[in-house]
Amino acid sequence: MEKVILIDPEKCTGCRICEIVCSLTKEGVINPTRSRIQVVKVDPVSLSIPVVCQQCYDAPCIAVCPVGALSRHGTTGMVNHDRDLCIGCKSCAAVCPFGAIGIDTSAEKVFKCDLCGGEPTCVKFCETKALEFVEASTLSLRQKRKGISKYTELLQRDTGQSAA
Amino acid sequence: MLHRKIGYISLSSGQVKKASIPESVRRLYLGGRGLNMYLLFNHLEQGADPLGPGNVLLVGAGLLTAGPVPGGSRTDVAAKSPLTGLVGDTNMGGFFSPELRFAGFDHLVIKGVSEKPVYLWVRDGEIEMRDATHLWGKDTLETPEAIRAELGDEDIKVLCIGAAGENLVKFANVRTGAKNAGGRTGMGCVMGSKKLKAVAVRGTLDIGVKYPREALEYYWQMQRKILDSKTASLFSVEGSLMQYNPTNTTGILRVKNLGLNRMDDLSLTPDTFLEKYSLGSTACFGCGMHCRHKWQIKDGKYGGLRGEGPEYYTLMALGNVVYNTSWETVLAAQYLVDKIGLDLAEAGNIIGWAMDLYNRGIIDKSDTDDLDLDWENSSEVLLVLLEKIANREGFGAVLADGIRMAAERIGRGSDYYALHVKGLGMVGTDDRAVPSLALGVATSTRGADHLRSRPATDLFGLPEEFTEKLYGFPVSSDYNAYQTKAKLIHYMELLYELVDSLGVCKYQTIFISPTFPQFEEYSKLIYYLTGLGLSVDELKTIAERCYTLERLFNYREKGITRNDDYLPDRYYTEPTPSGVSKTRGKFLDRAKFDEMLDEYYALHGWDSNGVPKPETLVELRLDKEPSHMI
Amino acid sequence: MRVVIVGNGIAANTAASRVRKLSPHAQVVILSEEPHSLYSPCVLPNYLGNEITRDRVFIKKANDYSQQGIKVLFGQRAIDLDTSSRSVCLDAGEIPYDRLILATGSEPVIPAIDGVDKKGIFTLKSITDADNVLQHGGTRAVVVGSGPIGIEVAMALKRRGLRVSLVELLGHILPQAFDQFPSRQLQTLLEEQGVEVLTNETVLHFLGSNSVEAVVTDKREIESDLVVLAAGMRPKVGLAQRSGIEIGSLGGIKTDDHMLTSAADVYACGDCVQARDRFTGEDSLSLLWHNARQQAEVAGSCCAGVSKRYPGSLNITLVNIFDIQVVSMGQTSRCLNQNNVEVLERHWKGSCYGLLISHGILVGVQLIGKARDTGILLSAVLRKDGPQGLLRRIFQNRLGPATIGWHCKRVAHMPPDYDKAAYERYERSITPSQNE
């Protein structure tokens, strides 16, 4: 059954606990730059937006990978990154519309969220439920799209200017 | 977590040295405030001028900062205080010291004075001094933006000073982020005297955790214990403002300097703020309590203004102490003091005093640059005065050197109304009815300050069987009592010394709820995160060591003894005018207070004059100080 | 139903997989001219430069096809195509089809330079080309053409320890992707690593008795024992053209939004087509891996009876220049050729960020070193954002408020040719200053 991480940016307080526990779980150290989920802070009113792989259906990263290291797994709903095939060209990191793919300069590969094998740690530790792990039914996909479009709304509200 | 570096920077010579912090030093002082105090004692020459090249500025992350630990965001900045001549020390939340840790450093020791304005650029193991001439004159919101644009990285965290620090106002603060401030004791003034405009940090290095799985598991338990509680459900919504109403209703709020102990005008309630101005909550690094507010003033005189905060103390210093009853003025004033880098605690206290003098006819318009300091006019003059202080203009110049010097300058018996202990301005509560709070404030090593020891739970009236389990000894459930309170203050001083050395926020300790973490929980967290096995008793000893070292510093620098451990005379003579039955008509009993002091000194192992005994120093391994280990 | 696919590159294979997924009972046949399973031409420079081993160039192994249920005929060149009788004529016979997908790819442009047929002069399109270059060896290489392939080959040969000169006909390198100012920065990056870059220089002929020994340009003679021609790619459309299928004005097979050609039940995708460009709305040649894949998804889907629309090609060039990632997206100043082009730029040591605004909307992006913003900016281009709206916020907040080190200049007229004087003036006018 497909499950995805649903983001509600209005609930995010910018505490970065998700970055702490993700990097600790996936890399064994605390290092926000090695976390699969990153919180982008938009000043001046400290608007915080969590950014993590949205496991896109029509993923630009899959399209652009020259060696097929990224692929979609039908059953888990996840975009899978095969570390062994990866040549570290970083094209995926560039085209991701969310900037959700990280670059590991020492391993010379990229990294991205793998949903922690079905129990995402970030979701567990998020106190405000800005992150939720929900079934990718049509309803929650609609919510997901709403959450992502909130980026635009909130940024607009901040400047009082309209976007095209 | 343990293996981070210390950077020694000489602003005079431009030299930078880096060294590791040995585990043996960690076992004695941990990090954060404790280690900063050790570094201060060792690197500062006795009698050094706080505004001269001999003063040492210390910036320190806590031992557990950035870890999976509740509220692990704190930065400690220390030096010899230009305001008091004693331990200068301030602690703040936000994102600065986690970034410092990710850059590979836990402590910075900054000496000397630069000829021209400079800023430090710390990143991934490197420290560089850069020209800050173009930054001098910018406020504390413009400075980080300018640095980020200059260095091309929006994730850089900046600690900086504003106009107050540049103009050597003795209670200038250090600032980071939108509103985090290291307010007390004038650390911004020290930075200004060194022509150090800012410290910019960016880190992408790993922080190792000794037992990651166990650490995460225990962290989860701690989070649940704290955040699922009723206290947290209130605190995470109202923030520190939560304390305002109970304090006011009880009658321990300081109003109109020390004129009243309760605000009759109820304009300044948290509910009004939440309803009219709040935009939601935001958090410091790694904190699930997210007690910080975001606010916006939509229209009116300050329409369009946006910021973060306020805290309970903001409301006290810029509200009741100066009898300002306008929320919008409080917010606008907070925004202003943040920009200009001025300690609102000290500023509120000194302005409240000036207004008290004015309303008593001791000073008049000829002293105040023609400003009408009538209590009713407070919201009109508050921001004007704050700016004047920051720029040392006119009357502001009289106030800019702190309340003790201002009282000397003004004379005319003004010092009777000047509320401070050891030169540091009085706290926002009226402690005449609560001996425990009074003792803590009177003996704090910074001066009049509640954060060394505030036993907030003393006001809850907890039964003795409960406090026995909580502290290991019973504490009287009566907050008017003097008995057992010395033990309480001593205990809290040790706990907060530990908490400040770990770099953890007090709001996730028994500060606000008796069920929240204290010694035992931190012992476990330290073990899982760093591998250091330190029992509760060992932690208490470390805390005792650090606190006594602070006392020793004050004794060494200014001969601080028992004589200085009292609140202003008015607290022992004038009764409180209002309040509930337990707080009305109260003042401190000097004889009973002296008994508390005796007991307090004995608990610390100090003599009856409040000087640490030689055998205590030996026991705490302080007899060879300064020992120059690092 | 039998679906025949001419080609064995990424377009062909993606289309084949899509057909297979949607039509489990269809017969899918791939006609592969080369004897190899699917491999990635994009990473040939990485192989050439010793960064990856030969086996990692391949994406499929021989038995992957049969596991997928796809029949592949290796070494089978399609000679003719009869769209009325619906059959493809091979070397060794005929194969009928119900639906056909042309994915014949592209071929290198070989400039008609005297001596170009000497030994030691190569193009780099197939893995065989790469093997040949490696086998040839050499110590002194000249790369002709500074498009992405030329740049990558130059770096690969440098990595292998050869002395490398890169010769470009036009006034600056990567001329299709970058404006002159950022291109100069890229040139510096190459030169810092020891690649000799010669711009505004034309190769006149190649010298040598049997093997190439020198390259003669209009400015000098370069000693050389290895030449790689990277003078551009063009769609391979011989088969389609001969069979009467409409070829567009740009030289690619004309396709509609469903990737259908002018012949019934004949689809086309990949380097061999011209399709609508999503940025300009006009036709363009796509010649990029991700466009090939996405076109193939549409072609395969429509072929299998599930209608899909191709939203258009995304003209995004991504190159790693010695560890610095550079990106160009949309249009450059050169192709805009209008009176109303505004260039927003920010510079730091080693990085550059340029946005091209025309008629108030973002139409082009050139990034050096801040390539992770590509996806975000792509969204802005597709949404037709302007600099005063969301775009500025993203721009400011990803980089921090741009009050210092940020300047915005109105360029009155960008000449299409390389008017050196005009460009020098432009360069001077956009030199970063401290104040806005």
Side-chain angles (χ1 to χ4, degrees):
Chain A
M1 152 234 315
E2 290 190 19
K3 281 182 108 175
V4 292
I5 296 179
L6 189 67
I7 297 176
D8 188 349
E10 273 191 319
K11 294 202 183 123
C12 179
T13 60
C15 75
R16 321 272 294 277
I17 290 178
C18 52
E19 295 181 5
I20 299 173
V21 300
C22 174
S23 56
L24 193 54
T25 305
K26 303 307 285 184
E27 303 281 353
V29 293
I30 305 168
N31 188 341
T33 62
R34 297 176 75 179
S35 165
R36 277 70 173 138
I37 182 167
Q38 305 263 317
V39 179
V40 176
K41 192 165 179 203
V42 180
D43 282 328
V45 273
S46 53
L47 177 67
S48 296
I49 302 179
V51 172
V52 71
C53 174
Q54 294 295 302
Q55 321 288 354
C56 305
Y57 277 148
D58 195 7
C61 60
I62 294 179
V64 87
C65 175
V67 292
L70 288 157
S71 57
R72 201 145 209 290
H73 278 194
T75 48
T76 63
M78 194 178 73
V79 172
N80 185 55
H81 174 244
D82 189 327
R83 227 174 128 79
D84 292 325
L85 294 178
C86 178
I87 61 167
C89 72
K90 300 170 292 190
S91 303
C92 55
V95 297
C96 173
F98 306 98
I101 296 185
I103 297 168
D104 185 343
T105 44
S106 47
E108 292 185 338
K109 296 196 189 261
V110 300
F111 56 85
K112 69 174 244 359
C113 172
D114 64 0
L115 300 175
C116 285
E119 284 191 52
T121 312
C122 57
V123 172
K124 177 180 175 184
F125 279 90
C126 179
E127 290 299 329
T128 58
K129 299 267 178 293
L131 304 173
E132 280 190 283
F133 196 45
V134 298
E135 263 173 72
S137 63
T138 330
L139 183 65
S140 54
L141 276 179
R142 226 181 285 146
Q143 280 174 296
K144 190 148 83 106
R145 263 181 243 127
K146 200 169 81 123
I148 294 164
S149 72
K150 269 201 182 157
Y151 294 174
T152 314
E153 256 181 66
L154 292 168
L155 288 169
Q156 273 176 255
R157 180 193 78 181
D158 183 26
T159 58
Q161 287 160 351
S162 58
Chain B
M1 286 237 148
L2 279 183
H3 304 114
R4 276 172 143 72
K5 298 233 180 299
I6 180 168
Y8 301 93
I9 300 111
S10 164
L11 296 175
S12 311
S13 69
Q15 215 190 28
V16 171
K17 256 179 34 195
K18 296 174 275 191
S20 299
I21 303 173
E23 189 178 301
S24 53
V25 172
R26 293 284 196 190
R27 282 184 176 279
L28 292 171
Y29 293 98
L30 299 175
R33 170 180 153 202
L35 192 49
N36 267 359
M37 292 299 109
Y38 175 82
L39 290 164
L40 181 64
F41 197 92
N42 277 266
H43 286 269
L44 186 106
E45 290 221 12
Q46 182 174 358
D49 173 14
L51 295 178
N55 200 353
V56 184
L57 182 74
L58 302 147
V59 179
L63 179 65
L64 301 183
T65 301
V69 55
S73 66
R74 313 287 298 182
T75 306
D76 197 88
V77 177
K80 181 171 173 178
S81 168
L83 181 62
T84 61
L86 306 174
V87 161
D89 175 48
T90 183
N91 205 283
M92 63 195 140
F95 295 84
F96 185 79
S97 67
E99 197 73 36
L100 187 63
R101 298 203 93 192
F102 292 125
F105 291 95
D106 269 3
H107 287 265
L108 300 174
V109 179
I110 304 165
K111 300 188 185 183
V113 159
S114 169
E115 258 188 65
K116 290 212 265 266
V118 287
Y119 74 94
L120 296 181
W121 171 215
V122 182
R123 71 215 175 284
D124 285 1
E126 297 301 321
I127 303 175
E128 193 189 317
M129 255 171 60
R130 290 175 68 91
D131 178 44
T133 321
H134 56 294
L135 299 173
W136 203 257
K138 290 199 188 296
D139 67 32
T140 64
L141 297 176
E142 294 167 332
T143 304
E145 281 185 16
I147 291 177
R148 285 185 199 124
E150 181 184 324
L151 299 173
D153 188 339
E154 74 271 21
D155 290 319
I156 294 173
K157 313 293 183 283
V158 176
L159 180 81
C160 64
I161 56 174
E166 292 177 8
N167 294 328
L168 302 183
V169 175
K170 294 259 169 55
F171 43 100
N173 65 16
V174 291
R175 286 260 302 110
T176 177
K179 69 89 92 172
N180 290 103
R184 315 234 54 201
T185 67
M187 297 294 93
C189 179
V190 175
M191 270 181 82
S193 73
K194 293 185 177 307
K195 290 264 186 313
L196 179 64
K197 177 65 180 174
V199 180
V201 184
R202 177 72 179 120
T204 62
L205 302 176
D206 298 336
I207 294 181
V209 168
K210 187 76 181 186
Y211 303 112
R213 228 171 22 103
E214 288 78 358
L216 273 178
E217 180 55 53
Y218 191 65
Y219 174 58
W220 174 249
Q221 287 174 29
M222 286 298 101
Q223 289 290 77
R224 299 289 37 92
K225 192 170 172 183
I226 297 168
L227 300 169
D228 289 347
S229 69
K230 183 151 176 287
T231 307
S233 66
L234 281 169
F235 203 77
S236 58
V237 172
E238 287 189 22
S240 62
L241 292 178
M242 185 180 99
Q243 299 161 88
Y244 190 82
N245 279 340
T247 310
N248 192 26
T249 324
T250 314
I252 46 175
L253 201 64
R254 191 156 71 89
V255 180
K256 286 187 180 174
N257 203 25
L258 199 67
L260 300 169
N261 55 321
R262 203 187 230 175
M263 274 292 256
D264 37 8
D265 184 310
L266 292 175
S267 318
L268 297 182
T269 60
D271 293 322
T272 313
F273 171 78
L274 288 173
E275 199 186 295
K276 290 177 87 173
Y277 307 109
S278 173
L279 284 177
S281 297
T282 182
C284 295
F285 187 90
C287 179
M289 188 74 92
H290 57 77
C291 75
R292 194 154 80 242
H293 302 286
K294 307 185 270 192
W295 56 263
Q296 176 184 253
I297 300 176
K298 291 198 193 99
D299 34 46
K301 187 171 172 188
Y302 302 111
L305 205 58
R306 292 175 124 180
E308 288 184 17
E311 302 299 333
Y312 160 48
Y313 212 106
T314 318
L315 201 46
M316 293 199 285
L318 303 174
N320 39 282
V321 168
V322 298
Y323 203 66
N324 163 38
T325 56
S326 152
W327 251 119
E328 298 193 2
T329 310
V330 170
L331 295 175
Q334 186 230 313
Y335 187 79
L336 178 64
V337 291
D338 283 340
K339 270 206 317 181
I340 59 184
L342 190 67
D343 176 22
L344 55 80
E346 209 63 51
N349 185 59
I350 206 170
I351 291 173
W353 167 68
M355 292 176 72
D356 199 6
L357 296 178
Y358 185 94
N359 282 273
R360 288 181 198 271
I362 296 174
I363 60 174
D364 58 35
K365 279 192 174 172
S366 63
D367 297 289
T368 67
D369 300 336
D370 232 29
L371 290 169
D372 178 7
L373 263 51
D374 192 297
W375 291 119
E376 300 301 323
N377 208 29
S378 177
S379 56
E380 294 304 313
V381 295
L382 184 57
L383 273 79
V384 178
L385 279 169
L386 291 168
E387 287 250 41
K388 276 178 182 280
I389 293 171
N391 295 314
R392 282 185 175 273
E393 261 170 42
F395 187 46
V398 176
L399 303 176
D401 287 320
I403 199 167
R404 214 170 16 191
M405 278 191 72
E408 272 172 44
R409 264 198 207 111
I410 293 176
R412 296 170 253 175
S414 61
D415 58 331
Y416 180 71
Y417 300 99
L419 301 177
H420 68 90
V421 177
K422 304 181 180 74
L424 195 73
M426 186 52 69
V427 298
T429 50
D430 182 338
D431 300 333
R432 280 177 283 185
V434 189
S436 63
L437 298 182
L439 178 66
V441 172
T443 58
S444 157
T445 49
R446 295 202 292 182
D449 154 45
H450 63 300
L451 291 170
R452 276 328 196 222
S453 65
R454 184 173 174 84
T457 46
D458 198 31
L459 299 159
F460 293 3
L462 302 167
E464 286 196 15
E465 310 86 67
F466 189 86
T467 51
E468 173 137 32
K469 283 205 206 92
L470 194 60
Y471 304 116
F473 51 84
V475 173
S476 166
S477 59
D478 177 13
Y479 64 74
N480 288 142
Y482 289 78
Q483 291 293 340
T484 71
K485 303 300 177 175
K487 272 186 135 171
L488 177 60
I489 291 298
H490 173 247
Y491 186 90
M492 299 308 290
E493 279 176 354
L494 297 186
L495 179 61
Y496 292 160
E497 178 78 68
L498 172 66
V499 168
D500 287 340
S501 304
L502 297 178
V504 168
C505 177
K506 293 190 187 67
Y507 283 143
Q508 323 254 317
T509 69
I510 56 175
F511 188 111
I512 53 167
S513 166
T515 59
F516 281 13
Q518 49 155 325
F519 287 104
E520 206 176 296
E521 286 80 5
Y522 289 117
S523 170
K524 286 211 187 81
L525 278 165
I526 293 172
Y527 177 65
Y528 291 135
L529 289 172
T530 68
L532 284 180
L534 293 165
S535 68
V536 169
D537 283 330
E538 284 174 303
L539 289 177
K540 286 184 180 164
T541 307
I542 293 172
E544 189 74 77
R545 173 179 305 117
C546 298
Y547 202 83
T548 300
L549 190 56
E550 292 177 26
R551 183 77 180 182
L552 206 58
F553 181 87
N554 289 350
Y555 180 65
R556 183 183 88 175
E557 296 300 318
K558 286 202 92 170
I560 294 295
T561 57
R562 187 190 187 106
N563 277 340
D564 308 290
D565 289 339
Y566 292 92
L567 294 182
D569 285 338
R570 296 177 69 186
Y571 282 72
Y572 303 92
T573 54
E574 287 179 37
T576 52
S578 56
V580 300
S581 59
K582 281 174 81 63
T583 59
R584 195 186 325 123
K586 302 283 184 204
F587 53 89
L588 294 169
D589 181 321
R590 211 178 262 274
K592 290 200 182 137
F593 192 88
D594 272 316
E595 274 172 33
M596 276 204 310
L597 269 182
D598 289 330
E599 199 184 337
Y600 170 81
Y601 292 150
L603 286 163
H604 270 301
W606 305 346
D607 66 25
S608 60
N609 205 19
V611 180
K613 291 193 249 186
E615 52 267 36
T616 308
L617 295 181
V618 172
E619 209 181 292
L620 295 173
R621 294 176 58 171
L622 290 176
D623 50 315
K624 304 263 192 304
E625 289 306 318
S627 57
H628 301 298
M629 286 189 291
I630 56 168
Chain C
M1 173 179 75
R2 176 189 282 160
V3 178
V4 173
I5 301 173
V6 186
N8 193 17
I10 189 63
N13 279 272
T14 305
S17 297
R18 179 65 29 198
V19 173
R20 171 49 69 236
K21 199 155 178 210
L22 294 172
S23 291
H25 303 296
Q27 202 188 44
V28 181
V29 184
I30 284 181
L31 304 175
S32 173
E33 195 172 68
E34 286 184 74
H36 308 291
S37 302
L38 172 65
Y39 64 89
S40 173
C42 305
V43 302
L44 288 176
N46 302 75
Y47 163 47
L48 206 59
N50 241 351
E51 286 176 283
I52 59 173
T53 51
R54 192 174 186 276
D55 57 293
R56 288 180 73 186
V57 176
F58 288 92
I59 294 178
K60 272 187 168 153
K61 293 192 275 290
N63 58 7
D64 286 333
Y65 292 94
S66 51
Q67 274 191 13
Q68 265 190 290
I70 295 170
K71 189 165 173 182
V72 58
L73 301 176
F74 285 109
Q76 292 288 327
R77 203 166 52 102
I79 304 172
D80 264 317
L81 168 60
D82 188 339
T83 54
S84 45
S85 68
R86 291 173 178 237
S87 69
V88 181
C89 182
L90 310 169
D91 279 325
E94 270 189 21
I95 179 167
Y97 66 82
D98 294 303
R99 308 247 162 93
L100 183 73
I101 301 180
L102 293 168
T104 47
S106 56
E107 60 195 353
V109 170
I110 298 182
I113 300 174
D114 190 29
V116 78
D117 45 2
K118 292 196 196 310
K119 269 180 72 180
I121 298 179
F122 302 93
T123 52
L124 190 74
K125 171 63 184 171
S126 68
I127 191 156
T128 311
D129 290 336
D131 293 335
N132 290 339
V133 170
L134 286 171
Q135 199 175 46
H136 178 83
T139 55
R140 186 68 181 82
V142 170
V143 178
V144 180
S146 71
I149 296 173
I151 303 275
E152 287 179 344
V153 170
M155 291 193 292
L157 295 173
K158 191 85 197 84
R159 280 204 178 96
R160 282 207 100 93
L162 283 80
R163 277 182 60 198
V164 181
S165 303
L166 179 64
V167 182
E168 166 57 48
L169 177 70
L170 296 177
H172 60 261
I173 60 169
L174 286 161
Q176 314 293 348
F178 286 92
D179 289 335
Q180 196 174 45
F181 192 72
S183 173
R184 287 280 172 80
Q185 282 194 269
L186 300 178
Q187 181 168 337
T188 309
L189 289 174
L190 289 170
E191 287 169 341
E192 276 171 359
Q193 296 293 330
V195 174
E196 182 183 33
V197 179
L198 306 166
T199 56
N200 250 330
E201 198 152 327
T202 311
V203 174
L204 296 175
H205 49 262
F206 299 107
L207 295 179
S209 42
N210 188 15
S211 252
V212 66
E213 285 163 33
V215 175
V216 178
T217 73
D218 57 347
K219 295 212 174 99
R220 75 200 85 216
E221 185 175 307
I222 310 168
E223 194 189 309
S224 167
D225 52 14
L226 170 68
V227 173
V228 179
L229 301 169
M233 292 287 190
R234 63 161 163 250
K236 222 155 112 185
V237 299
L239 183 70
Q241 193 161 40
R242 281 195 300 278
S243 72
I245 290 176
E246 191 186 341
I247 307 298
S249 56
L250 300 171
I253 301 172
K254 200 119 174 55
T255 55
D256 65 7
D257 279 352
H258 300 287
M259 304 316 297
L260 196 56
T261 68
S262 60
D265 292 322
V266 177
Y267 297 84
C269 54
D271 284 1
C272 63
V273 313
Q274 63 183 64
R276 195 162 51 86
D277 182 311
R278 210 158 155 193
F279 293 134
T280 62
E282 311 282 324
D283 263 15
S284 73
L285 295 177
S286 42
L287 298 175
L288 289 167
W289 179 267
H290 58 270
N291 290 325
R293 279 187 80 137
Q294 289 181 323
Q295 288 166 4
E297 291 279 357
V298 173
S301 188
C302 293
C303 197
V306 177
S307 179
K308 244 193 152 179
R309 249 193 73 236
Y310 183 55
S313 302
L314 292 174
N315 179 19
I316 306 174
T317 302
L318 273 163
V319 184
N320 287 327
I321 300 196
F322 291 120
D323 299 334
I324 298 188
Q325 202 174 19
V326 311
V327 180
S328 169
M329 203 161 43
Q331 300 167 285
T332 59
S333 304
R334 184 164 171 256
C335 39
L336 280 167
N337 194 21
Q338 290 167 31
N339 281 328
N340 200 347
V341 177
E342 201 182 320
V343 178
L344 305 180
E345 278 186 19
R346 287 196 75 191
H347 314 259
W348 305 267
K349 200 166 68 163
S351 305
C352 173
Y353 207 98
L355 306 181
L356 275 76
I357 315 281
S358 176
H359 294 300
I361 56 176
L362 179 66
V363 293
V365 173
Q366 292 166 36
L367 309 174
I368 301 177
K370 296 268 183 181
R372 276 182 78 187
D373 288 351
T374 304
I376 294 162
L377 290 170
L378 173 61
S379 307
V381 174
L382 293 175
R383 273 196 313 263
K384 297 189 167 31
D385 277 349
Q388 65 287 347
L390 181 65
L391 175 66
R392 184 160 217 138
R393 288 305 291 166
I394 293 173
F395 191 49
Q396 285 180 341
N397 289 297
R398 292 295 291 177
L399 296 182
T403 45
I404 292 179
W406 154 299
H407 56 273
C408 159
K409 293 284 183 271
R410 197 163 276 279
V411 180
H413 176 66
M414 294 303 292
D417 316 316
Y418 292 87
D419 177 355
K420 255 206 152 149
Y423 271 90
E424 274 167 27
R425 275 196 304 264
Y426 164 59
E427 248 186 271
R428 277 197 298 272
S429 73
I430 60 166
T431 305
S433 56
Q434 280 302 316
N435 308 302
E436 193 179 343

